[in-house]
Amino acid sequence: MINRKQFIKAGAATFSLFSLSKALPSCKGAARSAHAAMNRPIVVSTWDFGVAANQAAWAVLEAGGRALDAVEAGVRVPEADLTNLTVGKGGYPDRDGHVTLDACIMDEHGNCGSVAALAHIAHPISVARMVMEKTPHVMLVGEGALQFALENGFEKENLLTPEAESAWKEWLKEKQYKPVINIENKSFNVERLPGNRYNHDTIGMLALDAAGNLSGACTTSGMAFKMHGRVGDSPIIGAGLYVDNEVGGATATGVGEEVIRTVGSFLVVELMRQGLTPAEACHEAVRRIIRKKPETAKEIQVGFLALNNRGEYGAFSLQKGFSYAVCDARQQDLLLDGESVY
Ligand code: SD4
């Protein structure tokens, strides 16, 4: 019998921990295409909310669209979802009560754009894309990013929902910064946590289109109750996301400081360049984190998800419970459990 590790390594559609295809609309119209041998188009993304995000991305890919358009459309879904307390509007604020968002995007040509510590704008991924396409820069932060967004037609909104505000006020009573492992996973029982804290959450998405081009997007409100001005890995090209059309793409989730220290997503892509499978590359990146900080590594979650330019994918995380969603012509709305060290 094939075990989970073999399955994830092979990227084969023979086993899933659970499929949400009954509960959620499937990747409609998915059909085996002439490109099936290369397993494209395909889209993968982090955590259980990746299932719904993949649907939006798949609509673009299925129509023959560009991976770049697919990943932007895909991650806009959780950005707009008010029940998602850690991406986009509805995200938890920093310790001073400001919701500040981080996002980046990268295309098949190596073009990239990023925004960090952006307040008041519900779709940072679209601002990041505009930074990529309309400016000579890669990254805009804080006030400058907001000014750029407003000058380009984005609407200023209050992103702090009543739910996020009351969670923040609850947190203020103890003011303890303690990331909770796998808090992104909605099946995780947050009720049993003191203060019902959601501490971090991110969607990272990678897509390979019918033309064989790769793109990626990553967007988050970052660590809940972070210091004002704190920026994680998610908007940092090479850390939270990296795409190289010659090889593949990778994205990260979890405690961003550790991902930045290892330049995690770039590392995963470079390891794939050296011949490792996506899952092996993610595993090695996780090992580097453990080697640098063995004690910290036991306490935190970091997960990597990778997709190569043949449409093979894999994931690995420090702790059990890291899920990711896959959508291609063969498998619809699959949610898989990445392999973990502990
Ligand atoms: C950060 N990496 O800001 C993000 C948070 C995250 O799952 O991914 N949580 O550090």
Side-chain angles (χ1 to χ4, degrees), residues 46-47 49 86 102 177 180 182-184 199-204 218-224 226 230-235 240 252-260 301-303 322:
T46 55
W47 301 112
F49 42 76
T86 48
D102 298 338
Y177 179 72
V180 176
N182 296 333
I183 202 72
E184 302 87 346
N199 292 62
H200 55 97
D201 212 321
T202 293
I203 183 158
C218 189
T219 177
T220 189
S221 54
M223 297 280 176
K226 61 196 173 188
R230 180 264 186 191
V231 171
D233 60 313
S234 304
T253 181
V255 175
E257 281 73 6
E258 303 312 320
V259 178
I260 294 172
Q301 177 64 302
V302 171
F322 168 44

Side-chain angles (χ1 to χ4, degrees), residues 31-306:
R32 280 182 187 277
S33 71
H35 302 295
M38 291 294 289
N39 199 23
R40 67 191 196 208
I42 180 170
V43 56
V44 297
S45 58
T46 55
W47 301 112
D48 54 357
F49 42 76
V51 171
N54 284 357
Q55 296 289 322
W58 182 257
V60 175
L61 295 173
E62 192 193 20
R66 193 176 164 203
L68 182 70
D69 295 324
V71 295
E72 183 189 9
V75 304
R76 283 176 62 99
V77 172
E79 280 186 344
D81 179 0
L82 293 185
T83 69
N84 188 322
L85 304 172
T86 48
V87 178
K89 192 170 180 170
Y92 276 6
D94 63 22
R95 67 181 191 182
D96 299 334
H98 308 288
V99 179
T100 61
L101 305 178
D102 298 338
C104 73
I105 195 161
M106 192 161 188
D107 76 6
E108 71 271 25
H109 304 296
N111 297 316
C112 45
S114 160
V115 288
L118 173 63
H120 303 300
I121 304 292
H123 287 295
I125 198 64
S126 297
V127 185
R129 181 168 177 175
M130 215 171 257
V131 171
M132 173 174 91
E133 291 178 339
K134 287 196 167 180
T135 80
H137 307 305
V138 166
M139 190 168 195
L140 293 178
V141 305
E143 278 301 314
L146 177 60
Q147 183 187 331
F148 172 75
L150 297 176
E151 283 168 5
N152 283 281
F154 287 86
E155 206 181 305
K156 189 168 183 176
E157 292 180 54
N158 174 20
L159 303 182
L160 186 64
T161 60
E163 188 175 5
E165 187 173 8
S166 67
W168 167 59
K169 287 187 173 151
E170 184 65 26
W171 177 83
L172 281 177
K173 290 179 188 162
E174 288 186 25
K175 294 188 184 167
Q176 266 188 18
Y177 179 72
K178 208 173 168 199
V180 176
I181 290 166
N182 296 333
I183 202 72
E184 302 87 346
N185 200 332
K186 280 188 182 164
S187 56
F188 186 88
N189 182 6
V190 293
E191 299 305 325
R192 65 188 165 82
L193 297 168
N196 192 13
R197 297 183 307 256
Y198 282 70
N199 292 62
H200 55 97
D201 212 321
T202 293
I203 183 158
M205 177 178 278
L206 304 161
L208 177 66
D209 62 27
N213 288 319
L214 281 160
S215 290
C218 189
T219 177
T220 189
S221 54
M223 297 280 176
F225 320 128
K226 61 196 173 188
M227 288 176 73
H228 186 57
R230 180 264 186 191
V231 171
D233 60 313
S234 304
I236 312 277
I237 296 295
L241 177 75
Y242 195 71
V243 173
D244 184 329
N245 226 39
E246 284 182 3
V247 179
T251 189
T253 181
V255 175
E257 281 73 6
E258 303 312 320
V259 178
I260 294 172
R261 283 186 182 107
T262 48
V263 198
S265 292
F266 181 73
L267 175 63
V268 170
V269 171
E270 289 307 301
L271 290 166
M272 290 196 291
R273 192 191 306 276
Q274 290 166 24
L276 270 60
T277 66
E280 287 166 351
C282 292
H283 191 170
E284 176 56 22
V286 165
R287 271 199 214 108
R288 301 263 176 115
I289 291 174
I290 298 170
R291 248 181 265 145
K292 284 207 171 100
K293 291 193 160 196
E295 289 315 309
T296 312
K298 287 183 195 150
E299 306 287 316
I300 62 165
Q301 177 64 302
V302 171
F304 292 103
L305 172 63

